[in-house]
Amino acid sequence: MTDVFGASHKDVHEQVVFCADEQSGLRAIIAIHNTALGPALGGTRFYPYENEQAALADVLNLAKGMSYKNALAGLDLGGGKAVIIGDPARDKSEALLRAYGRFVESLGGRYITACDVGTYSEDMDVIARESRHVTGRTQAHGGAGDSSILTAFGVFRGMRASAERVYGTPSLHGRRVGVEGVGKVGHRLVELLREDGAEVVICDVDPKAVERVRVRRPEVDVVADARALARCDIDVFAPCALGGVLDDDMVTELRAKIVCGAANNQLAHSGVEKQLAEREILYAPDYVVNSGGVIQVADEIEGFDMERARSKATQIYDTTLKIFAIAADEGVPPAVAADRLAERRMSEVGRIRAIWLGQ
């Protein structure tokens, strides 16, 4: 059974809310990990989990990741996440989304939602009919639209920083990049890579996703799955599907010198980051390089401006290089360096919030 209160102070969540509405079929969990920097912002994942325990474990991990992601993105926002249990193709309805919106609203702004796997900007518009605390809305409703635009851009910036560290140049021209998952983010990343002159090989469990890429980019190679991709002669491995892909076997088989992708929680368990370092594979921490999406939707809180959001996402390059430098100086894997940097900001800025304002 998942321990909601966590095994250490880093894993303790401030609030976990279980949401159910029998008539609409809603079963959801909202997890707020840390609000030291501000209200918790994180997307809503709509996914057919095997059981409620699997959903709870996922939302707790994702919420914690959002705290670290938002901290390193320089946002005045904490970390949270939500999951809706079910098949979005079968179970999603107006009534379910609006019922979920009522639960988001009931938290009084402590949690701000957005899109994630299985949810889209149009869904956020429906949720927003019941809650004020929604980002990632369509442009027609004043939102940023599809957050995968800057997510892919941020991963690309992180990948260029990784190339700078490994090869001495940020250019990916002539490098072979394996992209696992070419859905909302992955297919956009393929476009950026091809524009930069990289060779690309892809895989996806959805044949339609593969076909969409191949129609636009017929020169892209295709392999069966992530294992096959790991065994390819590639320079960069970009996990852009679900988490946990980097397990012991995958690390052993991986031929790439760089791991940099959009998926959340790419490391299957603690210790994988050390295995990557031992094999001299540079790992760009996922929550650092995939933060472009949250930067995009967070900008809606001020009134969305794409140029302002894109400018902030551009800084992912510098943040990634800074983490690599800290890792080298302190003799730790980049994932550990990133955690330390994020925790430092949450601690330092969070402490300032304790200053009494006399109100």
Side-chain angles (χ1 to χ4, degrees), residues 41-42 50 76 117 124 150 178 295 316 322 333 339 349:
L41 171 63
E50 183 177 346
D76 291 333
V117 174
M124 295 304 112
L150 287 192
I295 289 171
I316 291 172
K322 181 178 182 180
D339 284 355
V349 178

Side-chain angles (χ1 to χ4, degrees), residues 230-274:
R231 292 190 291 266
C232 285
D233 186 16
I234 56 177
D235 299 297
V236 183
F237 176 56
C240 296
L242 296 178
V245 67
L246 290 166
D247 57 19
D248 298 343
D249 292 337
M250 178 68 84
V251 173
T252 300
E253 295 176 348
L254 195 59
R255 300 180 67 180
K257 287 294 184 183
I258 295 169
V259 173
C260 179
N264 289 308
N265 300 325
Q266 295 168 19
L267 308 183
H269 60 80
S270 178
V272 173
E273 71 281 2
K274 296 179 182 177

Side-chain angles (χ1 to χ4, degrees), residues 55-287:
L56 177 59
D58 198 30
V59 76
L60 293 178
N61 285 333
L62 291 168
K64 177 184 174 183
M66 289 305 304
S67 291
Y68 286 68
K69 180 186 296 188
N70 292 342
L72 286 185
L75 301 174
D76 291 333
L77 293 164
K81 204 80 172 184
V83 296
I84 298 175
I85 303 170
D87 182 349
R90 183 192 65 213
D91 302 323
K92 188 186 295 182
S93 67
E94 178 188 352
L96 183 148
L97 292 173
R98 292 184 70 158
Y100 170 67
R102 299 287 291 185
F103 282 102
V104 173
E105 183 66 18
S106 74
L107 294 173
R110 277 178 52 77
Y111 170 65
I112 304 167
T113 196
C115 304
D116 197 76
V117 174
T119 58
Y120 300 86
S121 295
E122 293 77 10
D123 299 325
M124 295 304 112
D125 286 343
V126 177
I127 294 167
R129 293 166 74 176
E130 301 294 339
S131 177
R132 296 162 292 168
H133 310 295
V134 182
T135 59
R137 299 191 64 186
T138 62
Q139 293 178 338
H141 287 274
D146 186 359
S147 64
S148 66
I149 295 171
L150 287 192
T151 303
F153 175 71
V155 172
F156 180 66
R157 293 290 294 174
M159 198 177 292
R160 285 177 64 86
S162 301
E164 171 71 37
R165 184 75 186 183
V166 173
Y167 301 114
T169 174
S171 175
L172 293 161
H173 183 84
R175 301 294 174 190
R176 190 163 173 81
V177 181
V179 181
E180 182 228 357
V182 285
K184 286 198 288 187
V185 176
H187 86 276
R188 294 186 184 278
L189 179 60
V190 170
E191 287 298 312
L192 294 169
L193 290 168
R194 288 299 298 135
E195 289 170 7
D196 201 37
E199 298 177 12
V200 178
V201 54
I202 66 172
C203 70
D204 198 295
V205 296
D206 183 0
K208 292 181 180 178
V210 172
E211 183 59 23
R212 175 174 60 174
V213 173
R214 290 278 291 166
V215 166
R216 186 171 177 83
R217 295 289 186 178
E219 73 276 13
V220 168
D221 292 330
V222 181
V223 296
D225 52 31
R227 296 288 185 206
L229 197 59
R231 292 190 291 266
C232 285
D233 186 16
I234 56 177
D235 299 297
V236 183
F237 176 56
C240 296
L242 296 178
V245 67
L246 290 166
D247 57 19
D248 298 343
D249 292 337
M250 178 68 84
V251 173
T252 300
E253 295 176 348
L254 195 59
R255 300 180 67 180
K257 287 294 184 183
I258 295 169
V259 173
C260 179
N264 289 308
N265 300 325
Q266 295 168 19
L267 308 183
H269 60 80
S270 178
V272 173
E273 71 281 2
K274 296 179 182 177
Q275 295 176 41
L276 289 166
E278 288 169 0
R279 290 207 57 215
E280 297 184 347
I281 298 172
L282 182 67
Y283 171 62
D286 48 39
Y287 68 77

